[in-house]
Amino acid sequence: MESLFVRLAKALAVCEIDEKIRLTAAIAADWQAGRLDWRNSTPVTLVCGRPAKPELLPHRDMPNRSPATPEGRARLLHAIVHIEFTAINLALDHAARFRGLPESYYADWIGVAAEEAEHFELLRTRLQSLGYDYGDFPAHAGLWDMAEKTTDDALVRMALVPRLLEARGLDATPPIQMKLEQVGDHESARILDIILRDEIGHVGLGDRWFRHLCAERGLEPESTYRDLLIRYQAPWPQGKMNEAARLAAGFSESELVLLAKKR
């Protein structure tokens, strides 16, 4: 059997988009077929590969992405395409970086990587139909910045990437869909229906593994989560939370009340 971690590291390191998607799909297929060894102890070096474009800018320097104009709508979709590309790398890294976890942990994040690749392809095809492609506009690196801050501890990674930053995507999606509907882009809004449905599951996996790791260490998860937000100076939820989606992903009603009070 091949080492799962060698295969994950290879897919993570690839810069060329189509090759990364091909390798990710191959890992998912070989995992399902039982051809990858998750107990293998072969050390790997993890490097995140991405194409030369888009140019990455600080969030504050990102231009307006209002869908009121065709270019603004393309910029908005491009931003989401970039998030989905980054999410492929994140899921690969979640699985590749942390050893000694249950087999189901690796199964979960391999499955997420494959779904994120599907999301990327859906959105990229839609962007191309508007006359643009991934890399045509700048993007920001916020998701991956947090991944780099959480390389030493799976508990912190689960808290601050899927359970924090990806959960913010649950909040942001319905308002984006409304804006797209208002300018008549119903096709893009329906693609976001698919992505929102799947992302609830992805955030739910982050919640599940965060709580699992807290239980192993005798930690109360919701207070630990708030402590980590403070320790890492992470962004608290802004604006209106998508409470239904967050509850479906594992947040409790009492936790949402406390998170809302903080902002």
Side-chain angles (χ1 to χ4, degrees):
M1 293 175 69
E2 290 184 82
S3 166
L4 169 65
F5 302 102
V6 170
R7 291 281 297 277
L8 289 166
K10 182 178 178 181
L12 180 65
V14 164
C15 296
E16 202 275 323
I17 293 170
D18 292 336
E19 180 67 359
K20 186 182 293 284
I21 290 171
R22 186 189 71 78
L23 291 176
T24 299
I27 289 170
D30 285 344
W31 176 264
Q32 289 294 326
R35 291 191 285 264
L36 298 175
D37 183 2
W38 62 280
R39 294 186 177 90
N40 186 284
S41 60
T42 302
V44 295
T45 299
L46 298 179
V47 178
C48 179
R50 66 175 190 86
K53 291 184 177 181
E55 176 188 7
L56 299 184
L57 300 176
H59 194 275
R60 64 180 179 276
D61 294 338
M62 293 298 296
N64 178 49
R65 298 192 292 260
S66 167
T69 65
E71 182 177 316
R73 181 154 48 100
R75 287 181 180 273
L76 176 60
L77 289 175
H78 185 275
I80 305 171
V81 173
H82 177 68
I83 289 170
E84 296 302 326
F85 181 80
T86 305
I88 302 169
N89 281 331
L90 286 169
L92 293 171
D93 193 84
H94 294 342
R97 185 168 298 278
F98 302 108
R99 304 285 182 103
L101 290 162
E103 182 179 9
S104 56
Y105 173 88
Y106 303 105
D108 285 344
W109 294 113
I110 291 166
V112 169
E115 282 193 347
E116 300 291 17
E118 292 171 2
H119 295 171
F120 174 83
E121 293 277 74
L122 278 173
L123 283 164
R124 187 186 188 190
T125 298
R126 178 60 183 153
L127 183 63
Q128 289 170 335
S129 76
L130 301 177
Y132 298 89
D133 200 357
Y134 180 51
D136 285 350
F137 303 108
H140 71 87
L143 273 173
W144 194 257
D145 287 346
M146 186 61 78
E148 291 181 338
K149 294 176 183 177
T150 57
T151 56
D152 296 332
D153 191 333
L155 183 152
V156 180
R157 171 67 68 85
M158 293 295 103
L160 298 185
V161 178
R163 204 174 190 270
L164 172 64
L165 295 187
E166 294 187 56
R168 295 180 76 188
L170 305 182
D171 304 333
T173 299
I176 291 172
Q177 288 179 291
M178 184 179 299
K179 291 178 181 178
L180 291 169
E181 296 277 13
Q182 288 171 347
V183 298
D185 190 351
H186 308 297
E187 184 172 347
S188 297
R190 296 293 70 78
I191 291 172
L192 293 184
D193 280 337
I194 298 168
I195 292 173
L196 178 60
R197 178 201 66 201
D198 292 346
E199 292 298 338
I200 290 172
H202 300 174
V203 175
L205 292 177
D207 178 80
R208 171 192 169 191
W209 288 109
F210 172 67
R211 292 179 186 275
H212 171 89
L213 293 164
C214 283
E216 284 191 339
R217 302 181 198 185
L219 299 172
E220 196 288 312
E222 294 181 6
S223 60
T224 299
Y225 181 70
R226 294 192 296 277
D227 290 344
L228 289 172
L229 295 185
I230 295 167
R231 187 189 316 167
Y232 283 82
Q233 299 181 320
W236 291 68
Q238 301 294 314
K240 181 176 174 58
M241 285 186 285
N242 186 344
E243 293 186 1
R246 283 177 175 262
L247 289 170
F251 287 80
S252 70
E253 291 186 6
S254 59
E255 183 178 19
L256 294 183
V257 170
L258 289 172
L259 291 174
K261 285 181 177 178
K262 177 66 180 182
R263 62 173 181 257

